[in-house]
Amino acid sequence: MNKRRRRTALVGVGALTAGLLLSSPEHAVAANLVQNPGFETAGTDDMPYCWEKSGWGDNDFSFQTVADAHSGAKAMKVTLTRRTAGDRKALITESAACAPAVSVGKQYDLGLWYKTTTPDANITVFRHDATAGWQYWTDLKTLDMASAWTKATVRTPEVPAGTDRITWGVSVYGTGSATTDDYTMDQVPDVVPPASCTGTSTQCADGSWSVLPTQNPVRSMHSVVLNNGKVLLIAGSGNSEENFNAGTFTSAVYDPANGTYKVIPTPKDMFCAGHVQLQDGRVLVMSGNKAYPVPGGHGYEGFKDSYVFDPKTETYSKTNDLNDGHWYPSATELGNGDVISFGGLREDSTGSVTAELWSDKDKQWQPLWKVNQTWSYWGLYPAMVLMQDGRLFYTGSHVFGNNIPGTGSAIYDYGANTVTQIPGLQNKDQRDQSASVLLPPAQDQKVLTIGGGNIDSNPDANRLTDVIDLKQANPSYIAGPQIPQGKVDLGNGKIAETGAQGKMYVSAVLLPDGKVLETGGGLHNRADPVYESSIYDPGSNTFDPVAADPESRGYHSSAFLLPDGRVMATGDNPGNGTWNHNVSIYTPPYLYKGTRPAITSVINQEWKYGDTQRITVDRPIAKAELIRPAAVTHSSDPNQRFVDLPLSVSGNNVDLNVTNNPNLAPPGWYMLFAVDAGGVPSVAKWVHLTGPAALSATAAAPHVHSFADSLSGKVSGPGEKRTSQPVSPTISGCDRHYGTVNVCVPTAFPRQVGKTAAARCAWLARNHYGRLKVNGGDDPLGLDRNRDGVACGKADVRRG
């Protein structure tokens, strides 16, 4: 856990957020773009011409021009003699006269010669945005310790839109020194244009969907892509009381290579459990369904049991118990391989206020006294995204009804045990089963939320999106572009959405070209499927409508990335209790853009933080990245992330520079993709980014930045210790007075439906609810007007 003290950033000569009036940049040419690259020309403030002091934090430091040069008479030495936080760096001066001009969409090769006495040094880049001014861009390469002059090279990502100049240098963030000399910067030549479209014009623009010939044999609402390329599909009882009473709990393993399924014995009802992949590739499954609700009695109940699924043996084994029951818990892996979990329903149907911590070292859940507690109730499946400094960002995406009190999003600091409210989330109480993703690349620390609704009030689901930049000192959500509208089936066939209609039950999938597919959804509580898919581009902040999944994908659906770059979508569980066993596959447009690049070798499958790892490719690539395999349910996969791997290129040999910050890429198995200049990805190779050895006391410290360090939102610490949060038995949005427990008659009908029995019964008929027995003597929705124990009979409708 991150327990470091936070401090306001202290930037040197150039304030990172201050806009400078720069002249229009000239296009880069094939020459060294760095002025005074060897520090030979004197400047001001005891610094060479076109170089400035920069950095932040609590440390003692010095900047020196020294005679121990690689060439010429001078070199730059930056030394830290004491450090609590922050870094120091000599940067190219943030001015029109000195900062190299760059072109949007181009890449640049950066090089320098260096000596270091610390492993805590890396190449850091800042960019000038025409609107926002100077700001941090990214860390590119960790420098190995070197007592003799050593050359370092690295290629930047494509220059983002709005950028006209960059500046860069070496950050020192641990005690010791880095001496540098002979900087170079060259624009990467344009590659051969990508191949022409290999499909139809529609496929090349919108991609295509297909429905697999073999159905999913289980009612799975949990999907986990395993490190062998197979997919674990967990059903438990599959939201079927009949299966629950019979003790029929199932999972299946799907093999995309041959399209087959293997049904796996499942020891407990893991329906609506939490799950996350551990750093060793096994899947931790926590809690699940202890009991279905009873009309007039208790609601759903969560048990304390926890299991681990092993992909090698395809079996479950029991762990120690959680401290509390958690039906619908969160699950977020931390940078040290531990897992933290919040929320869900306890064994008595009340809300759990107990945070749980899985120790990767001990391979067990920690006792309550070892876990920091705020006694906060975070709701069900609260989306908790790990930030680059170890704190957690609650995005506001959740399941069922209203959001948490306050602004609806927050930053939780485990070390300080404080919760700080974050503003800006639109319609916070209508983000039920919205989707949230940490946008590509994870280094940018931006989060997107998409859509949502509210099963308690059952309005039309919305089109809202929100984007937050967690690099800002005091971040706030800002409204993003609305998601495109699709077609909705209200029971009489598909019609175009109108007004502000959007969707809940959204699936969001990170794609290897750096974009996000959002797909599936419904307009109302477990009804009225919406057929719409689009691709979000983080660079342009826009959605592009693409082909829609032909299958309904509402409640209990999932969509996720396969290692071959396609997207798989499963499930749909409408309120009438049925289940869609059809499986859809989406082929994105990038797979219709010609031959794919191939990773022909990976020198080492075992990776460490701060490593340089070599791969070979069959032709030039523009970028490479690690994508964490999916572990998704109920629109929620807070561990999903795309981590950029800056390149050092020599022909077909490509050295990949791995982040040294485990909070950006928590330990575990990742899909490694190489992507060409046309956005066409390779088939993924699996690599293992390991934790404990890389996080030992002798390992280099991660380069943590002072992002989100001046929060102004309301701060709360631990509350008074308590047992639980009272929760209504109708939290699932279903009135259990009607039909079997598999059936969800909504507690609130869509607003377009009248309040008469006839109108409500007509809506239920259109949605294929069938015969509904009245449970008990109460009829809160007025559907059994003749009191014969059957809702929506002919007499009830006539009397309605």
Side-chain angles (χ1 to χ4, degrees):
M1 298 289 182
N2 187 289
K3 298 182 180 180
R4 71 182 185 87
R5 295 175 61 191
R6 326 196 75 66
R7 295 178 185 271
T8 302
L10 303 174
V11 181
V13 174
L16 302 185
T17 56
L20 300 181
L21 296 177
L22 300 183
S23 60
S24 298
E26 298 176 359
H27 289 291
V29 294
N32 186 8
L33 301 176
V34 179
Q35 295 197 55
N36 197 18
F39 309 104
E40 302 299 317
T41 304
T44 59
D45 192 29
D46 299 322
M47 290 292 286
Y49 172 70
C50 275
W51 292 87
E52 66 181 5
K53 301 173 183 177
S54 186
W56 68 280
D58 181 5
N59 46 67
D60 296 335
F61 58 91
S62 64
F63 291 82
Q64 297 172 281
T65 303
V66 295
D68 179 17
H70 173 255
S71 70
K74 296 178 181 178
M76 172 58 60
K77 185 175 184 180
V78 179
T79 305
L80 263 63
T81 55
R82 180 192 64 83
R83 178 190 181 274
T84 299
D87 64 26
R88 296 294 152 177
K89 44 195 173 277
L91 292 179
I92 299 169
T93 304
E94 296 172 339
S95 70
C98 298
V102 293
S103 299
V104 171
K106 302 296 184 182
Q107 293 180 276
Y108 294 82
D109 283 328
L110 312 182
L112 58 89
W113 290 83
Y114 75 94
K115 296 180 180 181
T116 58
T117 64
T118 173
D120 300 328
N122 67 13
I123 297 175
T124 299
V125 187
F126 294 79
R127 69 184 188 90
H128 183 265
D129 185 272
T131 301
W134 283 105
Q135 54 191 265
Y136 166 81
W137 182 9
T138 190
D139 289 344
L140 290 179
K141 182 182 180 70
T142 302
L143 301 180
D144 293 329
M145 291 182 66
S147 58
W149 283 107
T150 304
K151 189 172 185 180
T153 61
V154 67
R155 181 166 292 180
T156 70
E158 293 180 351
V159 172
T163 305
D164 51 16
R165 296 181 183 272
I166 67 170
T167 179
W168 57 284
V170 172
S171 295
V172 181
Y173 51 93
T175 55
S177 66
T179 305
T180 59
D181 199 2
D182 294 338
Y183 283 63
T184 60
M185 176 176 167
D186 302 285
Q187 182 175 305
V188 177
D190 292 338
V191 297
V192 176
S196 301
C197 171
T198 56
T200 67
S201 59
T202 300
Q203 289 172 328
C204 293
D206 300 333
S208 66
W209 288 88
S210 61
V211 179
L212 296 181
T214 305
Q215 291 187 318
N216 180 356
V218 301
R219 294 166 59 107
S220 61
M221 64 277 296
H222 306 271
S223 303
V224 184
V225 177
L226 305 172
N227 64 351
N228 55 16
K230 298 179 181 180
V231 183
L232 173 64
L233 301 164
I234 304 174
S237 65
N239 199 15
S240 165
E241 189 178 27
E242 288 82 1
N243 288 344
F244 182 83
N245 292 335
T248 303
F249 309 132
T250 57
S251 304
V253 172
Y254 171 68
D255 187 349
N258 55 29
T260 59
Y261 295 87
K262 177 183 176 181
V263 177
I264 302 295
T266 304
K268 196 91 173 183
D269 188 8
M270 296 175 180
F271 157 55
C272 297
H275 45 65
V276 65
Q277 294 179 70
L278 299 173
Q279 69 95 13
D280 61 7
R282 297 180 303 154
V283 181
L284 178 65
V285 184
M286 62 206 72
S287 193
N289 179 42
K290 179 186 174 185
Y292 280 84
V294 174
H298 63 78
Y300 284 100
E301 297 177 348
F303 53 68
K304 296 182 180 180
D305 302 52
S306 171
Y307 294 84
V308 169
F309 178 84
D310 189 338
K312 295 178 181 177
T313 62
E314 297 184 340
T315 58
Y316 291 96
S317 59
K318 197 173 186 305
T319 74
N320 67 319
D321 285 351
L322 298 147
N323 293 293
D324 205 359
H326 298 272
W327 184 73
Y328 280 66
S330 72
T332 304
E333 190 195 10
L334 303 175
N336 63 355
D338 291 350
V339 174
I340 194 165
S341 178
F342 302 91
L345 298 186
R346 304 176 72 239
E347 292 179 309
D348 61 1
S349 298
T350 60
S352 176
V353 297
T354 303
E356 305 275 5
L357 183 66
W358 169 271
S359 167
D360 182 69
K361 175 179 174 291
D362 298 335
K363 300 294 187 285
Q364 65 178 14
W365 295 100
Q366 296 298 286
L368 193 62
W369 62 270
K370 283 190 175 182
V371 186
N372 285 354
Q373 301 289 339
T374 62
W375 310 111
S376 304
Y377 179 57
W378 291 92
L380 304 184
Y381 286 137
M384 311 291 284
V385 173
L386 180 66
M387 297 168 58
Q388 60 92 38
D389 62 2
R391 291 178 293 171
L392 294 168
F393 175 55
Y394 168 57
T395 69
S397 291
H398 64 286
V399 172
F400 293 166
N402 291 342
N403 207 329
I404 62 172
T407 58
S409 65
I411 287 177
Y412 174 56
D413 187 327
Y414 182 88
N417 208 20
T418 57
V419 178
T420 304
Q421 295 185 23
I422 300 298
L425 184 66
Q426 303 174 87
N427 287 22
K428 76 177 186 73
D429 289 329
Q430 293 186 23
R431 309 316 288 269
D432 173 0
Q433 283 164 107
S434 60
S436 297
V437 288
L438 180 65
L439 289 171
Q443 287 92 334
D444 281 359
Q445 293 287 281
K446 291 184 178 179
V447 173
L448 170 73
T449 67
I450 307 171
N454 186 312
I455 63 166
D456 289 342
S457 54
N458 216 2
D460 288 352
N462 63 68
R463 301 175 61 194
L464 301 177
T465 74
D466 301 272
V467 182
I468 189 168
D469 183 352
L470 295 170
K471 298 191 304 299
Q472 301 300 313
N474 186 28
S476 172
Y477 268 119
I478 60 173
Q482 292 193 326
I483 56 176
Q485 290 180 304
K487 292 186 176 180
V488 58
D489 188 346
L490 300 173
N492 295 309
K494 299 177 185 178
I495 59 174
E497 288 190 291
T498 59
Q501 291 178 332
K503 60 185 184 178
M504 58 195 299
Y505 311 122
V506 184
S507 288
V509 182
L510 301 182
L511 300 176
D513 64 352
K515 298 177 183 178
V516 182
L517 172 72
E518 63 82 14
T519 185
L523 188 61
H524 295 112
N525 177 16
R526 303 186 201 185
D528 306 334
V530 173
Y531 300 86
E532 183 275 335
S533 301
S534 64
I535 292 178
Y536 174 79
D537 184 342
S540 61
N541 191 29
T542 57
F543 285 95
D544 177 22
V546 295
D549 189 342
E551 298 289 328
S552 56
R553 301 290 179 206
Y555 188 55
H556 285 152
S557 65
S558 297
F560 45 90
L561 180 69
L562 296 173
D564 64 8
R566 298 178 302 160
V567 174
M568 180 171 170
T570 69
D572 179 46
N573 185 196
N576 60 28
T578 58
W579 186 271
N580 184 354
H581 286 271
N582 290 332
V583 174
S584 303
I585 297 291
Y586 179 61
T587 302
Y590 52 60
L591 293 182
Y592 293 105
K593 291 185 177 179
T595 305
R596 306 176 70 167
I599 301 173
T600 54
S601 72
V602 177
I603 303 303
N604 188 353
Q605 193 180 36
E606 294 292 330
W607 290 16
K608 297 285 194 296
Y609 295 102
D611 270 358
T612 298
Q613 289 287 347
R614 173 161 292 186
I615 65 172
T616 58
V617 292
D618 65 344
R619 58 189 174 86
I621 62 170
K623 63 183 176 183
E625 75 267 351
L626 298 178
I627 296 184
R628 187 179 177 93
V632 61
T633 186
H634 292 75
S635 303
S636 181
D637 185 0
N639 298 285
Q640 189 177 193
R641 59 186 55 216
F642 173 122
V643 182
D644 183 52
L645 299 170
L647 315 176
S648 301
V649 180
S650 177
N652 286 358
N653 293 323
V654 181
D655 289 338
L656 305 177
N657 296 280
V658 186
T659 178
N660 69 353
N661 186 347
N663 296 322
L664 285 177
W669 287 88
Y670 285 82
M671 294 181 285
L672 166 65
F673 289 95
V675 184
D676 72 13
V680 180
S682 67
V683 173
K685 299 287 188 180
W686 288 95
V687 298
H688 190 209
L689 187 56
T690 52
L695 298 172
S696 66
T698 59
H703 194 194
V704 176
H705 294 273
S706 60
F707 302 156
D709 67 338
S710 299
L711 305 178
S712 62
K714 181 180 178 181
V715 181
S716 57
E720 186 173 341
K721 184 177 180 180
R722 56 184 179 144
T723 302
S724 65
Q725 169 83 16
V727 172
S728 169
T730 63
I731 190 170
S732 61
C734 306
D735 195 318
R736 301 298 177 185
H737 291 91
Y738 308 96
T740 68
V741 76
N742 305 339
V743 170
C744 177
V745 173
T747 53
F749 282 76
R751 290 172 182 171
Q752 298 90 333
V753 178
K755 295 184 178 181
T756 66
R760 288 171 170 172
C761 289
W763 186 89
L764 292 169
R766 285 197 305 273
N767 285 278
H768 312 293
Y769 274 75
R771 186 177 186 273
L772 295 172
K773 179 184 176 182
V774 178
N775 302 308
D778 295 329
D779 178 23
L781 297 177
L783 304 181
D784 183 21
R785 308 302 292 275
N786 67 351
R787 308 295 292 174
D788 67 351
V790 177
C792 294
K794 292 182 179 180
D796 301 320
V797 175
R798 285 197 300 269
R799 292 163 59 94

